[in-house]
Amino acid sequence: MSTTITITGAGGQIGYALLFRIAAGDLLGPDEKVRLRLLEIPQGLKSAEGAALELQDGAFGLLEDVEVTDSAAVAFDRCDLALLVGARPRGPGMERGDLLAANAGIFGPQGAAIAENASPGVRVTVVGNPANTNALIAAASADGVPAERFTALTRLDENRARAQLALALEAPVAAVRRVPIWGNHSATQFPDVSHATVDGRPAAAALAERVGDVTAWLETTFIPRVAKRGAEIIDVRGSSSVASAANATIDHVRDWVRGTDDWTSAGVVSHGEYGVPEGLICSFPVRSVDGEWRIVEDLEPDDWARERIAASVAELVDEREAVRSLGLL
Ligand code: NAD
Ligand code: LMR
């Protein structure tokens, strides 16, 4: 048995950072063989073919097969895991939503090709921006595939939030848990520290000791730092995040397939949880149980948190309207 994994945009930057880690077993563990399907547009084929040659040269024991193609039907044929990375990245001064017109058109046809060709239990992770709304478009075009199988990557935001909180607490990042992201993978997202733990114990008192007025610190330092980290990376390195995005993609898919022992974050379809309109792909605190994401329910965000969640959800609603007006939904 082996798992067939399709990576779109495999000739791009994140694709290059993902492929070798998947082949090395970081995604599914040291015992699971993988077959890779690399989808590119014609201009990107050479780059993906070069990566395929290097995959051969890695002599990875888990790698059964690599196929490079510009046909979505071939790429998604019997695929178990689809990583939809292929899309234009933003440049300096842009918001991720500015990519809607350029990228949204990619995801309808890919959703349809997944429905026609993939394995019945396919799991789809959208990385290409704006990730939540692209996932919504793909899900809407995938007749017969439950919307729960379409997710958007917000794990990078969570990893950033945990890392910034760990710095503030002067704690090891591995000890810091339960820092979920709510809403959109955009500057409106709400990284929520109200349930954060350090070594399993509530972090609130230690945080107040370090930063003083926690609300002021969240508003002026922590939330902007996390929510605008993508732009900071673009400013500093000249192009958008790559290895950290690939790393978060691996975290997301691994946890989806293998389960979690605590909360994490993922953009998943809303059934109305926390008042989020049904059908939106929104980031929530989630657990992965029996191969499915389950939204953590019964939390009670205070008014301040509710306002922030609502602002990000309003942006998702606006994005959905924008793609409707482009005729893509
Ligand atoms: P890149 O430009 O290096 O690579 C994108 C690749 O996609 C290119 O090789 C291009 O040829 C290919 N492509 C374009 N249209 C395609 C299509 N229809 N089918 C298949 N392939 C196609 O960009 P990158 O740095 O790899 O970033 C990819 C996307 O991921 C961007 O939209 C970026 O904004 C997004 N991103 C998301 C997150 C996140 O956390 N959700 C993090 C980082 C980057
Ligand atoms: C990120 O969060 O780093 C990516 O979504 C890229 C971007 O445009 O910010």
Side-chain angles (χ1 to χ4, degrees):
M1 279 293 288
S2 61
T3 301
T4 299
I5 306 170
T6 304
I7 297 115
T8 75
Q13 296 256 54
I14 295 174
Y16 194 71
L18 267 175
L19 294 171
F20 298 87
R21 289 196 57 192
I22 297 173
D26 288 357
L27 186 69
L28 298 175
D31 301 320
E32 184 71 17
K33 302 232 184 229
V34 293
R35 306 167 75 82
L36 298 181
R37 301 276 173 269
L38 278 44
L39 179 66
E40 261 295 347
I41 49 175
Q43 307 89 288
L45 279 175
K46 279 283 170 210
S47 174
E49 281 163 9
L53 295 180
E54 285 201 70
L55 282 165
Q56 257 179 2
D57 296 349
F60 293 103
L62 295 175
L63 186 57
E64 278 194 341
D65 180 43
V66 182
E67 186 166 356
V68 180
T69 178
D70 62 359
S71 156
V74 172
F76 293 117
D77 183 31
R78 284 166 289 168
C79 103
D80 303 300
L81 301 172
L83 312 183
L84 307 190
V85 179
R88 216 183 111 188
R90 66 173 164 155
M94 294 171 77
E95 288 299 330
R96 299 179 189 103
D98 298 336
L99 293 169
L100 207 53
N103 288 341
I106 296 172
F107 292 86
Q110 288 185 354
I114 287 168
E116 275 166 37
N117 299 285
S119 292
V122 65
R123 293 176 169 100
V124 183
T125 301
V126 176
V127 177
N129 278 319
N132 300 54
T133 298
N134 290 337
L136 174 80
I137 296 168
S141 310
D143 281 348
V145 184
E148 288 73 14
R149 301 280 179 68
F150 286 82
T151 64
L153 184 74
T154 56
R155 182 63 169 266
L156 176 55
D157 305 298
E158 181 188 309
N159 288 348
R160 288 167 171 166
R162 285 180 51 225
Q164 291 302 319
L165 186 58
L167 280 175
L169 292 168
E170 294 178 50
V173 70
V176 177
R177 309 292 289 269
R178 297 198 171 188
V179 191
I181 304 297
W182 298 81
N184 200 1
H185 173 60
S186 77
T188 67
Q189 68 182 258
F190 175 47
D192 179 4
V193 304
S194 61
H195 309 280
T197 58
V198 180
D199 286 325
R201 286 186 298 278
L207 186 60
E209 226 169 78
R210 305 257 165 193
V211 304
D213 180 342
V214 173
T215 306
W217 178 77
L218 291 172
E219 284 180 345
T220 60
T221 305
F222 177 77
I223 295 176
R225 190 83 201 269
V226 173
K228 296 183 183 165
R229 184 64 159 193
E232 183 182 348
I233 302 282
I234 291 169
D235 280 350
V236 174
R237 71 182 293 276
S239 66
S240 69
S241 61
V242 176
S244 58
N247 180 60
T249 306
I250 288 191
D251 287 344
H252 170 106
V253 179
R254 185 200 54 230
D255 282 355
W256 192 359
V257 172
R258 295 165 71 179
T260 52
D261 59 4
D262 208 336
W263 306 355
T264 182
S265 312
V268 297
V269 68
S270 168
H271 307 96
E273 293 88 350
Y274 298 99
V276 176
E278 221 171 296
L280 288 180
I281 304 276
C282 179
S283 188
F284 290 101
V286 290
R287 290 177 188 277
S288 166
V289 182
D290 297 334
E292 289 177 10
W293 290 118
R294 306 232 177 111
I295 294 171
V296 176
E297 297 201 64
D298 303 323
L299 302 177
E300 290 177 357
D302 62 18
D303 289 347
W304 179 84
R306 276 191 188 280
E307 245 175 59
R308 289 185 170 266
I309 295 168
S312 198
V313 169
E315 185 184 43
L316 287 171
V317 171
D318 287 349
E319 289 184 8
R320 180 166 67 181
E321 283 315 306
V323 290
R324 277 190 180 137
S325 68
L326 290 168
L328 296 169
L329 268 184

